[in-house]
Every structure is written in structure tokens, then in C-alpha cells.
Amino acid sequence: MKIAAIDIGSNALRLLIKDTAQPDFLDTLDIVGKNDYYERVPLKSGMDVFAKGEILPQTKLKLTLALQHFAKKMEEHGVITHEHDIKNYRAVATSAYRDAKNGREVIEAAGKESGLHIEVISGDEEARLTHLSFIPPKQWAKDYFLFVDVGGGSTEISLLHEGNLLYGHSFQVGSMRYLCGKQDEAEVQALDAKVADIFRQHAPLHYIATGGCVKFMNNYLNQGTPSTAAGVDSHSSKDNGGLVEVSRMQAVYQDLKKKTVSQIVDDYNLPAERADILTPAASIFLRIAKGLEMDEIIVPAIGVRNGILTELYLKAQ
């Protein structure tokens, strides 16, 4: 059986189709095997929303065309079969579509045009899906974990202990908000205050970070070359979960702050649509590390789509 996840974020939308018959399915969610399929389409819906307050017509058209294409791919892979009315997928839209005054209208129209059912999910649900696929090592079974997912429009934090969610919240703090000059300082201070409160009550804990920026940092710092790091979201092989030293990430951030987007593109071998959000996203991860007094950040290969696939797989068992 094949299952699929569609994640419509502020920066891009992604489709990941997985064959559940492959061995160790839950341990290989970020490996694209010969019977799997992955595609990422840059869209930058967040730039519309945080600058104009709504999804613009040209973005709506691109979204609809991409979803129509995704629907065809899912039919080709047997995720959707109209003859037997099988629909083994979940499609979700996150922060930009929560905030846009026409977000639900756009998603409803794009869903109708593509024949797909798409949900605009809450920040709490986004956070739940993000940490759902994380399995801690046995020696950490009784430890506290703070999950932080930084996106274009929001930052979700979740505090877990022994598999139980103790706290979860979505803060309107994101890389695209900074780019558009629409970041509310009160929301940043609320995030800082909550992180400090969690540190006071639950230290020591583990800082688990997800999102394209921190995955880039992990690949870049731990593999050593920009050309390797640029493939962080290619899914041609498994993203390397690992540890990012905060001091080394800080050094990269200081370098990024001095550069224009075009210089980041050239020096770090990144596409422009990723390079522009790297600096503000890094600043958010680093300020949380400071609040937690952390020297390192754990970067597992998890995300919203991993959580969707995990849940679909477990329900089918």
C-alpha cells in the first residue's frame, strides 16, 4: 500500500509518497526508495500574506496547478483510486493560510479544482504532527524534550515528557514575517518568556529543532561543504539527523548577516527562495537556544509530513 502527505507551508508545498511495504517503514520516512516519490514546489505564500494580508491571484493559480499535478502523481502511484474510492493521503496547509483573510477560501477553491481534500490546520495540530514521528533513544526515555519548528509564519513549540504533551503553542514568529517587516515584537517577547519559563521549570531538557533552516545548518556544519548542504531537502537520500553546535551556528549566522541574498546564494550554494529566509530563521533558533542556555541543538529528520505518514501508517495496521 502507498500513502502520501502534502504539506502546504508558507514557503513551499511538498508531496511525499511512501510505499508501506518497505522494511523499517517508520525509520525510513525521509528516504525516497524506488517505489516512492517526492516533490517540492516553491510558492512563498507567506510573502503575500505577511505583506498584503491575503493570498494573491497568481499564488492561488500556482497553488492550484501544483495540487492538480500532485493529484495526478498520487493517482499514478495508487494512493488515490477513483474506482475503489481509496484515498490514502492527508493534505494540510499551515501558518500562511491560517492568517490570510482569504486563506480558507483559497484552499477550498484549490481543493475543488484538484479534487483533493485539504485542511487548514491549527498551530497546535502542526506541532503535534511535527513531533509525532520522533522516537527518542532509550537512554532518554524519561527526559524532557522541547520541540521547536520554525516556519515562515509561525514557530511551534511543544514540551514532551515520556510521550506526553505538557505544553504546546504556536507563536506568530517566523522568517517571512521578519522579511516583510511584519513581525510583532510582543509576540517575540511572549515566545522568549515562555522559553525562559520552560527552562526554569524543566531543565535539563533536550532542544529538538525542525525546519528547513536548521536542517541546512546541520548538513552544512556536519558535512562540511556548501554543495552537500544544498541538497538538504532533495530527499535523494536520508537527511542526516545530528547535533548542531550553537557556537558554530552562531558563527554562520554572523556571516549571513553581512551578506546580501545573492551573496548567500553564491557562497552557500542555495536557491534564492531559500537563501532569503535563512538569516531570520537562524536568528529565531539561536534566540531560543540562548533562552534554554543550550550549547547544542538536536536536529532529527522529522517534520509535518513525517507525522502525517506515521499516523496514516499506524491507522492502517
Side-chain angles (χ1 to χ4, degrees):
M1 182 180 76
K2 290 191 178 183
I3 58 177
I6 295 176
D7 172 14
I8 306 171
S10 299
N11 193 41
L13 65 156
R14 301 171 180 85
L15 166 66
L16 180 56
I17 299 173
K18 292 288 294 180
D19 186 350
T20 62
Q22 65 189 49
D24 303 318
F25 178 81
L26 293 177
D27 294 327
T28 58
L29 289 178
D30 264 15
I31 296 177
V32 177
K34 63 179 182 179
N35 295 322
D36 302 334
Y37 181 83
Y38 174 78
E39 187 169 353
R40 178 182 185 275
V41 178
L43 195 62
K44 287 196 173 294
S45 306
M47 296 298 284
D48 290 359
V49 179
F50 309 130
K52 303 292 185 180
E54 63 181 4
I55 306 294
L56 300 180
Q58 60 267 33
T59 305
K60 178 182 175 182
L61 176 60
K62 291 177 183 178
L63 171 67
T64 301
L65 292 174
L67 288 172
Q68 288 174 333
H69 172 66
F70 283 2
K72 289 179 181 178
K73 287 297 180 183
M74 287 195 290
E75 288 178 15
E76 291 173 9
H77 283 262
V79 174
I80 298 174
T81 60
H82 299 293
E83 182 181 355
H84 299 290
D85 195 29
I86 295 173
K87 298 177 181 178
N88 294 321
Y89 75 91
R90 187 180 182 191
V92 303
T94 56
S95 178
Y97 295 87
R98 288 196 295 268
D99 292 357
K101 60 185 179 182
N102 64 341
R104 282 172 170 75
E105 172 191 328
V106 167
I107 287 297
E108 183 178 342
K112 190 173 183 179
E113 290 291 327
S114 62
L116 299 175
H117 174 68
I118 308 164
E119 307 164 62
V120 179
I121 60 173
S122 68
D124 289 346
E125 175 65 359
E126 185 176 354
R128 185 188 73 85
L129 289 171
T130 297
H131 64 68
L132 185 62
S133 61
F134 177 72
I135 302 173
K138 290 182 179 179
Q139 66 268 29
W140 292 354
K142 296 187 178 298
D143 294 357
Y144 289 91
F145 297 88
L146 184 66
F147 287 80
V148 178
D149 182 33
V150 174
S154 63
T155 294
E156 281 72 40
I157 68 172
S158 306
L159 180 67
L160 278 83
H161 182 243
E162 296 185 342
N164 298 310
L165 180 65
L166 304 184
Y167 173 82
H169 189 68
S170 178
F171 293 86
Q172 291 186 317
V173 177
S175 56
M176 285 190 178
R177 291 184 188 274
Y178 276 103
L179 285 179
C180 296
K182 299 294 183 178
Q183 183 59 67
D184 183 354
E185 187 58 30
E187 194 74 2
V188 176
Q189 292 176 6
L191 172 60
D192 288 345
K194 190 61 191 181
V195 168
D197 182 57
I198 287 172
F199 176 70
R200 282 194 300 270
Q201 294 188 49
H202 301 290
L205 51 75
H206 302 284
Y207 177 10
I208 312 291
T210 64
C213 167
V214 77
K215 285 185 179 182
F216 166 83
M217 289 291 181
N218 174 55
N219 279 263
Y220 178 65
L221 292 172
N222 290 331
Q223 295 185 20
T225 63
S227 59
T228 302
V232 64
D233 204 25
S234 68
H235 277 69
S236 58
S237 61
K238 186 176 178 63
D239 285 345
N240 289 311
L243 295 176
V244 170
E245 294 179 25
V246 171
S247 61
R248 297 180 69 202
M249 185 173 176
Q250 181 69 42
V252 174
Y253 171 64
Q254 293 301 324
D255 182 60
L256 291 170
K257 287 201 302 180
K258 302 173 186 176
K259 298 181 184 297
T260 63
V261 171
S262 61
Q263 288 172 328
I264 294 173
V265 168
D266 292 339
D267 294 350
Y268 289 87
N269 193 22
L270 279 170
E273 56 92 12
R274 280 186 169 280
D276 60 353
I277 62 172
L278 186 58
T279 308
S283 72
I284 300 169
F285 282 115
L286 287 168
R287 74 182 301 131
I288 292 173
K290 183 178 180 180
L292 296 173
E293 298 183 15
M294 287 287 178
D295 296 325
E296 60 186 23
I297 303 171
I298 301 167
V299 187
I302 60 173
V304 168
R305 57 191 176 276
N306 304 70
I308 290 173
L309 293 172
T310 297
E311 198 158 59
L312 289 173
Y313 176 76
L314 293 175
K315 285 181 178 179
Q317 300 308 298

